Amino acid sequence: MILDAEGIANLACLKFDDYEETKGKIGKSAQHEVQAESQTVVLFQNQGEEIFAINLSMVSRLEKITSSQITNIGDKIFFKHAGNAIRLIQLDDFLPVAKMTSLPDKMYVIIPQLLKNPIGIICSKIVDVLERPILFTSNVLPCRGLLGSCIINEKLTLFLDIHQLVNIINPPEPQNEPFFKNKKVLVVEDTPFYSLTTSRFLTDFQVNFEVVNNGAQALERINSDHYDLILTDIEMPEMDGLELCRKIRSSPPIKNMPVVALVSSITHSFLERSKEVGLDGYELKLDKEGVRNMLNHFFIQQPVHNYPSVR
């Protein structure tokens, strides 16, 4: 079981000397700026030349397996692990990319997390695992299942939209969100990748929303328009999410507005500071069902078991 960048590097025999050397040359202030925008991503290949990427925070496991560990049931294939059968998919079955003509004797399986029904993505090669800012340059292959594309190490890289991909594989029952349609949400996020993923979640939930890049822009918008909920990143330029919440709580006309943080990780320091400024709750940025539960909690007062409130 591989859960971190170092483990993936060791499994795939990757070297990161250049990255570590570059990172060591960055000053403290520059490091903070890079980390605020950076993400750790796993790059991999199917069998063609395309390079795919998935955010490491979406990876539950990465396994190196052999074809003998695969079981065929009808037209589907499964990987037996810990007493469970996980369905394996080839990206070329669902995306317009180069075909994997046959399964190799040895392969890697990426198992995403935050999914109701786990799947495993077959790949022939782990290309790299790295941390850097991600800015989508264009959508050269516009289709469901892909977030977009960007240039990494001078190569075009296709970013998977895991939640959309799962919906293609196992189409969900049609859901109507009537209580969400008349609500208005302000998303405060400076990282394009997370801004896009959150926007896709809210679009799927039929929520009316707007996006701004920092707390200062958000405060200006809040004072001139009405919003039913604020979803904010924490680390942002000009004004961070906690300072935004503090200013909202100190302004009588808007002090009762719900403010929820969308975070990549949760620390004791974050929880303590969140209580101090009056944050209402938090959710992981890439947890689609968690975001849906949070909307239910605030918009229709539906009880959510163990909802992560910080008050």
Side-chain angles (χ1 to χ4, degrees), residues 131-185:
E131 181 183 2
R132 64 181 53 191
I134 301 299
L135 181 62
F136 295 127
T137 55
S138 63
N139 199 356
V140 297
L141 192 64
C143 66
R144 294 183 66 215
L146 292 178
L147 276 170
S149 59
C150 69
I151 303 298
I152 297 180
N153 293 339
E154 300 183 354
K155 293 185 178 181
L156 184 67
T157 303
L158 304 175
F159 272 76
L160 297 182
D161 186 329
I162 296 298
H163 294 286
Q164 277 195 354
L165 192 59
V166 169
N167 287 345
I168 296 172
I169 299 166
N170 299 307
E173 293 291 330
Q175 294 190 14
N176 187 21
E177 312 281 6
F179 295 100
F180 295 174
K181 287 185 177 180
N182 296 323
K183 302 298 183 179
K184 192 173 182 180
V185 173

Side-chain angles (χ1 to χ4, degrees), residues 55-201:
N55 192 297
L56 182 61
S57 63
M58 278 294 295
V59 177
S60 171
R61 309 176 67 86
L62 193 150
E63 300 279 352
K64 189 174 184 178
I65 68 171
T66 64
S67 56
S68 63
Q69 294 174 265
I70 292 177
T71 299
N72 291 277
I73 302 179
D75 61 348
K76 299 178 177 62
I77 57 176
F78 294 84
F79 164 54
K80 294 178 291 184
H81 177 76
N84 296 316
I86 296 176
R87 182 180 173 185
L88 298 181
I89 67 164
Q90 298 173 214
L91 291 178
D92 52 271
D93 286 337
F94 304 95
L95 301 176
V97 297
K99 289 287 184 181
M100 181 179 283
T101 55
S102 61
L103 291 178
D105 291 333
K106 296 181 180 180
M107 68 201 84
Y108 296 95
V109 173
I110 298 173
I111 303 175
Q113 63 178 342
L114 304 176
L115 301 179
K116 283 186 176 180
N117 301 308
I119 61 169
I121 301 170
I122 294 175
C123 56
S124 60
K125 180 181 179 181
I126 302 297
V127 176
D128 208 343
V129 54
L130 47 81
E131 181 183 2
R132 64 181 53 191
I134 301 299
L135 181 62
F136 295 127
T137 55
S138 63
N139 199 356
V140 297
L141 192 64
C143 66
R144 294 183 66 215
L146 292 178
L147 276 170
S149 59
C150 69
I151 303 298
I152 297 180
N153 293 339
E154 300 183 354
K155 293 185 178 181
L156 184 67
T157 303
L158 304 175
F159 272 76
L160 297 182
D161 186 329
I162 296 298
H163 294 286
Q164 277 195 354
L165 192 59
V166 169
N167 287 345
I168 296 172
I169 299 166
N170 299 307
E173 293 291 330
Q175 294 190 14
N176 187 21
E177 312 281 6
F179 295 100
F180 295 174
K181 287 185 177 180
N182 296 323
K183 302 298 183 179
K184 192 173 182 180
V185 173
L186 183 64
V187 178
V188 192
E189 174 61 73
D190 66 320
T191 303
F193 177 86
Y194 289 123
S195 177
L196 177 58
T197 54
T198 303
S199 296
R200 286 199 173 185
F201 291 171

Side-chain angles (χ1 to χ4, degrees), residues 220-253:
E220 181 179 345
R221 197 70 65 87
I222 292 167
N223 284 320
S224 62
D225 203 348
H226 170 76
Y227 297 93
D228 298 286
L229 177 67
I230 309 299
L231 299 181
T232 183
D233 184 22
I234 296 301
E235 295 186 10
M236 295 178 291
E238 295 191 45
M239 183 189 297
D240 66 27
L242 294 180
E243 181 61 22
L244 169 63
C245 186
R246 189 192 306 276
K247 288 186 177 295
I248 290 174
R249 297 291 176 248
S250 63
S251 177

